[in-house]
Amino acid sequence: MSNQLTLPTTVADMVQEYQDKDAEITARIEAVNEAVNALRLGATVQGVYADRPFEEPRIDERTVRKNLLKSGWKAIYQRLEIERIASAKDQAEFARHLESPPELTIENAVATFRDYFENTRFHILRGLAEAFVDLDPAYKSHSRVKVGKDKLPKRIILSNVGGYGSYGMTRLENVLNAVASVRGQPLLSRAELNFMHAESRACRSFSFDGREVPAYTRELKNTTEPLQYRDCEIRFFQNGNAHVHFGKIALTDINRGLAEFYGDVLPDAEDDDAPTAKRASTDVAKDLQYYPSPAAVITEALDRAGIYKPDPYRPDAHTAKRVLEPSCGDGRILDEIAKRGHVGFGYEIHAERARQARQKNHAVQVANFLEVPPSPEFDVVVMNPPFYGRHYAKHVRHAYRFLKPGGVLVAILPATAEYDHNELDDLKSDQPRYRGETWRDLPVGSFAESGTNVPTGILQLFKPEQASAAAA
């Protein structure tokens, strides 16, 4: 027995192992083919063949190399325990990329996984937010997600919680493991979750012709006891639903985690504890908050507004639209409007940012947009108004008056606008039903690169040919 310590395998070791084995694949396949030929001859006398002695292997070298490559990436993923850091969405994205992975090198491995270690807490908290935002609007309400607030729902209901691979079971796994990651606890494996589900179903009974009958032939146990898992209670039901009740400690940890991710005192939530006079003295500064729109958000907003690129196969069908961007900053949205072949015009109160936009040949006027007299001459308004408090409502209402009848307004807003405030419901009431929903959530952390994790969405409003008196 060796007394030497076994050193942990590093990423460099695994990359080297991959490269060594990749270099040997051709020789190994040739060795297999030689062994097959030798065995085939070994089953003959004087080379005279009778029946086919065995099924010969069909080895495709490209398939073998791809399998080795995928194995190398998965080995590094498991070695670095990325599943403890990455959100469920990122893990699913990695699985998709694994179908056609890049070459395995130290440089590619570092580029793929570095951010998970440089920003570990961000990714863990983003995973928590992603797991919860679709369960109940309360989890993206900034009036509730604050340290010290006790308004989060204590129970979540999941549907389609069946066996392995069901949609609801995946969501349940994501929720429980997101909470475990934030609390620094071991993750729950899918095998453990399936066992819990099977145990619960074995204990369940159902009513048949007035008699209680066990769901399975196993001995009927107490059907009123929920499964206890850490600080949670889980109930599985015959209709495929599952209820998860969070205990006080778990709920506090969820609240603190979401508050940390979104921000304890949030730029788009009311500061309930601040005196009214103090708030008023800072209203102007907070109204001028600047969160530049990331490229992915701009793309989504312009697509929702119908600002498309010209079709190279139908150039005559392209009609340039007049597009207004209030509070245009340095012209990021105007950049994309111009690339798509439309005519943009912006207002910007910050002189330096307006100058930067003008340097890119955009038509920008230095002015406080809220003080500009409205003129209904634009086909489209695309805007990213200030997030603080309910100031966005003033900007949206004013911008709506710049639309031609039949025009469309798209605004990037904090989720609070949809789930808490209801400030713009009168404008929504004018929307024709065939247009579809007026609100769409943006992915969690869409504005992270701009310095805020505030939940956001896109509001889409169409101005009727005959606008109501309130909207006009």
Side-chain angles (χ1 to χ4, degrees):
M1 180 176 178
S2 173
N3 291 326
Q4 292 183 338
L5 293 175
T6 302
L7 297 177
T9 304
T10 66
V11 172
D13 294 333
M14 288 184 279
V15 170
Q16 187 62 53
E17 180 182 350
Y18 159 77
Q19 293 173 344
D20 292 343
K21 289 183 176 178
D22 184 68
E24 296 172 353
I25 283 179
T26 301
R28 290 181 182 276
I29 293 176
E30 291 176 354
V32 170
N33 291 333
E34 290 176 2
V36 168
N37 289 332
L39 181 58
R40 185 191 302 117
L41 290 174
T44 69
V45 174
Q46 294 295 307
V48 177
Y49 290 94
D51 296 329
R52 191 174 185 177
F54 55 86
E55 290 292 332
E56 297 181 11
R58 296 181 180 179
I59 305 175
D60 179 68
E61 184 170 333
R62 289 176 302 179
T63 302
V64 175
R65 290 188 185 279
K66 185 175 181 179
N67 187 79
L68 174 63
L69 178 60
K70 292 167 67 174
S71 174
W73 277 107
K74 288 184 69 174
I76 293 176
Y77 181 89
Q78 293 175 4
R79 172 67 182 82
L80 298 177
E81 297 184 324
I82 298 299
E83 67 276 3
R84 291 191 55 82
I85 304 172
S87 69
K89 181 180 177 181
D90 278 2
Q91 294 183 47
E93 190 67 21
F94 177 78
R96 285 192 291 270
H97 287 171
L98 202 59
E99 294 306 310
S100 184
E103 186 61 28
L104 183 55
T105 63
I106 290 291
E107 292 74 19
N108 285 346
V110 169
T112 301
F113 299 120
R114 169 188 284 166
D115 195 60
Y116 291 111
F117 294 94
E118 291 183 348
N119 299 289
T120 300
R121 188 65 178 170
F122 167 81
H123 287 285
I124 290 175
L125 294 176
R126 191 184 71 174
L128 181 73
E130 286 181 357
F132 277 88
V133 291
D134 291 333
L135 300 175
D136 192 296
Y139 291 108
K140 44 192 159 188
S141 161
H142 289 173
S143 295
R144 303 186 188 190
V145 183
K146 292 183 185 178
V147 173
K149 293 290 182 180
D150 188 24
K151 297 181 181 179
L152 289 180
K154 297 177 175 61
R155 181 187 70 172
I156 59 173
I157 301 175
L158 302 172
S159 59
N160 190 28
V161 183
Y164 181 84
S166 68
Y167 174 73
M169 188 68 80
T170 299
R171 296 187 79 187
L172 177 59
E173 180 184 15
N174 292 344
V175 166
L176 295 178
N177 280 340
V179 177
S181 291
V182 168
R183 304 175 79 181
Q185 296 173 327
L187 301 185
L188 178 70
S189 71
R190 177 55 66 89
E192 291 173 313
L193 187 58
N194 287 334
F195 177 78
M196 291 165 56
H197 181 250
E199 283 291 295
S200 173
R201 288 179 60 86
C203 299
R204 200 66 57 209
S205 64
F206 61 91
S207 177
F208 177 76
D209 195 22
R211 295 177 293 112
E212 287 292 314
V213 181
Y216 291 96
T217 58
R218 296 172 62 174
E219 180 183 356
L220 181 62
K221 301 177 183 178
N222 188 348
T223 61
T224 62
E225 283 290 331
L227 290 172
Q228 301 292 329
Y229 179 72
R230 293 172 180 165
D231 194 32
C232 304
E233 292 182 351
I234 307 172
R235 291 179 183 269
F236 295 102
F237 294 90
Q238 291 290 341
N239 63 0
N241 287 351
H243 294 187
V244 182
H245 295 254
F246 298 109
K248 184 175 181 180
I249 297 176
L251 196 64
T252 298
D253 289 340
I254 293 168
N255 178 261
R256 286 176 175 171
L258 293 175
E260 180 183 346
F261 182 72
Y262 295 143
D264 188 4
V265 178
L266 298 162
D268 69 326
E270 303 89 339
D271 189 354
D272 300 328
D273 300 324
T276 302
K278 183 178 180 180
R279 287 204 306 270
S281 69
T282 58
D283 273 352
V284 174
K286 290 175 178 176
D287 188 65
L288 300 180
Q289 284 178 330
Y290 179 56
Y291 294 114
S293 302
V297 174
I298 294 173
T299 298
E300 177 73 11
L302 294 185
D303 287 349
R304 293 280 286 174
I307 303 297
Y308 303 118
K309 294 180 180 179
D311 186 342
Y313 299 101
R314 300 178 59 200
D316 296 338
H318 178 73
T319 301
K321 298 179 180 179
R322 293 200 68 208
V323 186
L324 172 66
E325 187 197 353
S327 306
C328 66
D330 59 6
R332 294 190 184 195
I333 295 179
L334 292 174
D335 290 343
E336 188 60 27
I337 290 171
K339 287 179 183 177
R340 298 188 180 201
H342 299 270
V343 181
F345 182 83
Y347 290 101
E348 174 56 46
I349 194 171
H350 192 283
E352 175 58 24
R353 287 197 284 264
R355 185 188 67 80
Q356 293 172 359
R358 286 172 172 171
Q359 284 182 333
K360 295 184 283 187
N361 296 320
H362 296 312
V364 175
Q365 180 176 334
V366 179
N368 182 342
F369 173 66
L370 294 178
E371 297 176 355
V372 177
S375 176
E377 58 186 72
F378 292 93
D379 303 298
V380 180
V381 173
V382 180
M383 59 192 306
N384 173 13
F387 282 0
Y388 178 74
R390 305 190 185 204
H391 292 218
Y392 62 83
K394 294 184 293 183
H395 288 256
V396 172
R397 287 185 181 281
H398 193 58
Y400 193 78
R401 296 183 173 93
F402 286 76
L403 279 178
K404 296 178 181 178
V408 59
L409 178 148
V410 167
I412 303 161
L413 300 175
T416 308
E418 175 69 9
Y419 298 108
D420 287 326
H421 296 163
N422 303 317
E423 289 278 357
L424 302 170
D425 283 357
D426 58 320
L427 295 182
K428 294 180 187 178
S429 66
D430 281 338
Q431 302 308 298
R433 294 191 176 185
Y434 70 89
R435 297 288 193 179
E437 295 295 331
T438 59
W439 177 266
R440 176 179 296 180
D441 288 323
L442 287 170
V444 169
S446 289
F447 274 79
E449 67 182 64
S450 300
T452 179
N453 291 325
V454 55
T456 50
I458 290 180
L459 176 70
Q460 181 184 44
L461 298 174
F462 294 89
K463 191 169 187 178
E465 295 294 339
Q466 296 294 329
S468 67

